[in-house]
Amino acid sequence: MFLNLNHYNLDVYKTAKELRKNCYKIIKILPEQEKYNLIDQMRRASTSIVLNISEGSSRKSKTERNRYYEIARGSIIEIDSCCEITVEENYLKIEELTELGKNIKTTFILLSKLMNS
């Protein structure tokens, strides 16, 4: 924000921020009983994606960058699994997760491409 660094220009960073925003929207409609389980996990995982992309992009070696990107990708997979649980527990219908699902796929693809470039 205050540092004018390159990761702000990355498409994957922008989509990761959208993914985080959409996770927070979903979190607001989950039941209170999931406050310390799904809600907390989705909040931490979605934030982890943004932070690991930021930190990884500041690393000089490709190996180090990819280590942070791999952690971010793991957090994307966590969110995908959380979505599956919300549907299985009948907290949400899959149709309510369409926008979030698109964010998950886009961020995962962009991050995978960045790791392979």
Side-chain angles (χ1 to χ4, degrees):
M1 182 168 158
F2 298 107
L3 302 172
N4 191 17
L5 300 174
N6 288 334
H7 70 273
Y8 295 118
N9 300 318
L10 294 174
D11 288 339
V12 69
Y13 179 77
K14 294 172 187 173
T15 61
K17 285 178 60 176
E18 276 300 309
L19 173 58
R20 189 196 60 77
K21 281 183 188 178
N22 284 322
C23 279
Y24 274 54
K25 287 179 190 174
I26 295 300
I27 286 167
K28 289 178 183 175
I29 57 177
L30 290 176
E32 179 69 22
Q33 69 202 39
E34 289 295 344
K35 183 175 184 177
Y36 300 108
N37 192 18
L38 280 176
I39 292 172
D40 188 48
Q41 192 64 34
M42 288 182 80
R43 183 180 293 121
R44 286 185 292 111
S46 64
T47 302
S48 171
I49 297 164
V50 175
L51 296 178
N52 278 294
I53 291 170
S54 299
E55 188 165 356
S57 67
S58 72
R59 300 300 172 162
K60 291 186 180 188
S61 77
K62 182 175 174 57
T63 303
E64 266 194 290
R65 279 192 305 274
N66 279 352
R67 188 174 132 242
Y68 285 93
Y69 296 157
E70 188 64 43
I71 293 167
R73 204 164 62 165
S75 293
I76 295 169
I77 294 166
E78 281 184 56
I79 292 170
D80 188 61
S81 295
C82 286
C83 289
E84 183 179 24
I85 293 168
T86 63
V87 172
E88 288 173 351
E89 293 299 316
N90 295 313
Y91 296 147
L92 297 168
K93 293 184 181 359
I94 196 159
E95 297 81 22
E96 296 173 280
L97 298 169
T98 303
E99 186 177 348
L100 181 57
K102 288 177 185 175
N103 289 136
I104 289 169
K105 288 177 186 176
T106 302
T107 308
F108 187 86
I109 290 166
L110 289 174
L111 194 50
S112 296
K113 286 180 181 178
L114 183 62
M115 291 172 68
N116 294 324
S117 66

